[in-house]
Amino acid sequence: MAETTPASNGTVNVIKGDSAVAHAKGSPGTYSAPSRVTLHLEHLPSKNIKAPWPRTPSRVDPNNPPWPAYRGYHEYSFAHATMGVRLPTILGKAIDDTSRTLNEQSNEDKIVDLVQCLERMDLLMADLSGNAKLRPIIDDGEGDVALWNKEIAKYFQGKDFMNAPWLFAEAYKYRRLHECFSVSRYWKDYDVFYRQKCDTFARSADAVFELSMRFAEPFKQSENISEKEKAETERLMFLELTQVCLWGNSTDLSLLINMTEDQIKSLQSTGGEHLAATEKNILGNHMNQLWETVKVLPEKTGGRIDFVLDNAGFELYCDFVYADFLIQSGLAKQIRFHGKRYPWFVSDVTRNDWSWLLNTMVYGHLFPKASEAERESLRRLGARWKQYENDGRWTYEQHPFWCTGYTFWDLHSEAPDLFLHLSHSDLVFFKGDLNHRKLTYDCAAPASIPFDVAIGPMASAAGAPKVCSLRTIKSDVVVGLGDDGDAIAEKLDQEEPGWKISGKYAVVLLSEGRPGEKVRFA
């Protein structure tokens, strides 16, 4: 495990772990930290960054966002803690996991292959802790290699982990981690975070069964109430499940590295009273506008809704509960889910995570203390959701663009096929903090900036779909809080200095986009 210690001369001391190879060849299964690497940052500015106006569109690029970028050397920002502490810690845990897997192997060829993966992880730890320059990605056959190396060559020549924009540097670290395995013979698809994802869902029993016991029975309106009452019941259910889907995002493994089971339960509480109490913490709240958008979908021929997914496990489970209601109520006829092609930002959904959750619900024995009624409710939910997948009402997709360093401002230019695909959707939900950062270019925009301005081409480009960001706030960028947004943010800065990374607050922000217009590409 790595940690940082501040020094008076403007340096940050990063404690670096042992050689992964020596560790893997027989030393105990923990990542120790005997050596020290010093990052010399005294020549870099670290004061708070604010700009009175954004860059003009022609001057915006990945190294120069519309507003000032957050970078690892900005000591006041969460970027600094992430690059100096969180990422080395996460990588150290990944090395622990890989070493554990190594010790379970008996085939020599697989052992040697995995030792080489550990060697590459150790080099990545040295680069991360030593603030190395960002090198090109090795051609490992992935569909994103050209996009990565084009962006590095064009915008990040000579940049290092600390002075590149935090969003790009963090994504680059996860791409390099994938490379450690993707160039191997036997371990191309190995997921260093898989155990963590499964374990966290296993510790979510209370919230899982609270939802399964309530929603195992299909949604059905009473025949003894008026059409007006039915519409109101549907509206209230929609708003409640929107919140369930929103706050399910609280469980982010990259942030909750050492969280206890009781703390996880607290974050995952889904009861009605809890939701009513937390709605006041939705600082930018477009839920009523969202309902006005969704309620008319049955009148349309399509009724397609897309989810750009965030975390596996409990959050994906909440996404499924929400999508289940949208299908059963007739508000949507088809749901398309977009996940990652390989492990990403610790807990992001992969195809394997999707299949594991559905199959565990139907066949698994993950909750030994559950009652038979609870287990049956989970089986019934899982069976219904698998049927949606089998008959095409639910579809899982994974485009290479989701695992690149580009923000979604560049989606229409760098992945025009994906942009065109999304333009056919009636509504696209972007789940979670990372997707919100990519929508907004992860920069120091004022909190009062309207959401549709902050997301640039994802709102303004011809054919841009309607977009809704469901995000619990866990990083510095905050937009869409209305005309009083700057005052709200400044007050919270004074009263609750850690409010931007606590997960206590959230936003539900809607952009109307430009659907129906013919998509045009340069």
Side-chain angles (χ1 to χ4, degrees):
M1 185 176 296
E3 60 181 346
T4 64
T5 56
S8 60
N9 62 354
T11 64
V12 175
N13 297 320
V14 179
I15 308 302
K16 181 189 171 188
D18 275 341
S19 163
V21 180
H23 165 84
K25 288 182 176 177
S27 55
T30 58
Y31 194 80
S32 58
S35 58
R36 184 182 299 268
V37 174
T38 300
L39 307 182
H40 295 280
L41 308 179
E42 63 272 9
H43 63 293
L44 300 174
S46 61
K47 63 182 181 180
N48 202 340
I49 50 170
K50 287 187 178 181
W53 53 78
R55 293 178 184 273
T56 57
S58 63
R59 295 178 60 236
V60 171
D61 65 51
N63 192 42
N64 298 286
W67 300 86
Y70 296 108
R71 303 179 192 265
Y73 62 76
H74 293 149
E75 294 181 7
Y76 63 87
S77 72
F78 192 43
H80 184 71
T82 295
M83 299 308 299
V85 181
R86 287 178 57 240
L87 290 191
T89 299
I90 290 167
L91 181 55
K93 286 182 174 291
I95 291 172
D96 286 346
D97 176 272
T98 308
S99 299
R100 176 179 171 184
T101 298
L102 178 70
N103 293 334
E104 296 168 350
Q105 304 307 306
S106 58
N107 181 283
E108 184 176 7
D109 289 342
K110 289 186 175 181
I111 290 172
V112 172
D113 200 28
L114 193 54
V115 166
Q116 291 172 350
C117 294
L118 280 161
E119 289 175 343
R120 289 187 285 270
M121 294 174 81
D122 198 47
L123 290 174
L124 175 57
M125 178 67 86
D127 283 354
L128 181 61
S129 301
N131 195 27
K133 298 260 190 306
L134 307 182
R135 65 157 174 80
I137 298 298
I138 295 172
D139 188 353
D140 54 7
E142 285 287 355
D144 58 15
V145 174
L147 283 172
W148 270 105
N149 289 340
K150 170 186 171 182
E151 191 172 14
I152 292 170
K154 194 171 182 180
Y155 304 109
F156 299 108
Q157 287 268 13
K159 292 290 184 181
D160 55 46
F161 279 95
M162 280 294 189
N163 65 24
W166 167 35
L167 178 60
F168 182 84
E170 189 173 12
Y172 175 83
K173 173 260 180 182
Y174 285 100
R175 183 58 179 88
R176 283 278 306 275
L177 178 58
H178 176 60
E179 181 190 281
C180 293
F181 297 92
S182 62
V183 298
S184 69
R185 180 179 179 185
Y186 297 104
W187 303 95
K188 293 181 184 296
D189 299 320
Y190 186 72
D191 186 349
V192 295
F193 308 120
Y194 184 66
R195 287 189 179 98
Q196 292 182 63
K197 289 183 277 192
C198 296
D199 179 63
T200 302
F201 186 72
R203 291 189 288 153
S204 306
D206 288 356
V208 167
F209 290 121
E210 185 174 351
L211 290 172
S212 69
M213 292 293 286
R214 183 177 174 191
F215 294 108
E217 290 293 326
F219 175 74
K220 188 177 181 180
Q221 292 270 33
S222 172
E223 297 180 359
N224 300 321
I225 61 175
S226 67
E227 290 300 314
K228 183 178 180 181
E229 289 172 317
K230 287 182 180 179
E232 180 62 9
T233 299
E234 188 173 77
R235 184 184 74 88
L236 293 174
M237 181 69 76
F238 173 82
L239 295 177
E240 179 179 358
L241 288 178
T242 300
Q243 275 214 68
V244 168
C245 190
L246 168 69
W247 294 110
N249 173 245
S250 296
T251 310
D252 183 336
L253 296 181
S254 71
L255 296 171
L256 311 182
I257 294 171
N258 297 307
M259 184 156 279
T260 66
E261 189 166 349
D262 286 341
Q263 289 170 317
I264 290 173
K265 289 178 180 178
S266 176
L267 280 174
Q268 294 175 339
S269 177
T270 57
E273 291 182 3
H274 176 77
L275 293 177
T278 56
E279 185 171 1
K280 69 180 186 298
N281 291 335
I282 303 176
L283 301 179
N285 190 347
H286 293 175
M287 281 202 294
N288 289 328
Q289 297 97 305
L290 180 63
W291 168 244
E292 293 299 318
T293 295
V294 172
K295 75 176 185 180
V296 299
L297 293 186
E299 303 168 9
K300 298 186 175 183
T301 56
R304 168 184 155 186
I305 292 178
D306 288 53
F307 283 80
V308 180
L309 298 170
D310 188 35
N311 295 318
F314 183 70
E315 182 179 349
L316 180 60
Y317 177 77
C318 291
D319 296 340
F320 283 169
V321 170
Y322 193 35
D324 188 10
F325 168 75
L326 294 173
I327 291 289
Q328 290 187 61
S329 63
L331 293 170
K333 295 179 182 178
Q334 182 185 43
I335 309 284
R336 291 179 180 265
F337 297 88
H338 302 265
K340 306 302 191 297
R341 291 169 60 87
Y342 47 78
W344 189 249
F345 280 71
V346 182
S347 47
D348 280 31
V349 178
T350 64
R351 175 77 222 200
N352 196 44
D353 298 323
W354 164 287
S355 299
W356 177 86
L357 178 58
L358 292 175
N359 289 324
T360 292
M361 291 174 66
V362 175
Y363 305 111
H365 297 271
L366 198 63
F367 304 104
K369 296 181 180 179
S371 67
E372 183 54 37
E374 289 173 329
R375 282 193 288 268
E376 178 60 22
S377 70
L378 201 59
R379 284 194 290 267
R380 291 180 64 184
L381 267 186
R384 186 162 73 236
W385 296 350
K386 285 173 71 70
Q387 183 58 42
Y388 291 156
E389 184 178 29
N390 292 336
D391 63 27
R393 282 180 286 179
W394 283 10
T395 305
Y396 179 89
E397 302 176 358
Q398 48 186 22
H399 193 282
F401 181 82
W402 301 125
C403 290
T404 68
Y406 283 104
T407 73
F408 300 155
W409 277 53
D410 291 311
L411 197 157
H412 71 301
S413 59
E414 300 299 335
D417 59 324
L418 178 58
F419 185 84
L420 181 63
H421 181 50
L422 295 176
S423 75
H424 295 150
S425 180
D426 293 303
L427 176 66
V428 182
F429 284 104
F430 284 85
K431 290 297 308 295
D433 199 69
L434 175 60
N435 283 324
H436 188 87
R437 289 168 62 195
K438 287 203 164 193
L439 278 169
T440 60
Y441 232 124
D442 196 40
C443 53
S448 59
I449 291 293
F451 180 60
D452 58 355
V453 174
I455 67 175
M458 285 302 293
S460 62
K466 294 183 179 182
V467 164
C468 180
S469 178
L470 297 179
R471 177 227 189 178
T472 53
I473 300 171
K474 302 173 190 170
S475 61
D476 294 295
V477 60
V478 177
V479 299
L481 303 194
D483 293 340
D484 298 327
D486 295 344
I488 293 170
E490 288 176 9
K491 182 179 180 183
L492 286 169
D493 284 339
Q494 294 172 1
E495 297 178 356
E496 300 180 48
W499 71 277
K500 289 182 179 178
I501 60 173
S502 66
K504 175 181 176 181
Y505 296 98
V507 292
V508 179
L509 299 173
L510 179 68
S511 166
E512 293 293 336
R514 295 172 64 183
E517 295 187 28
K518 185 177 181 180
V519 177
R520 296 189 298 272
F521 300 112

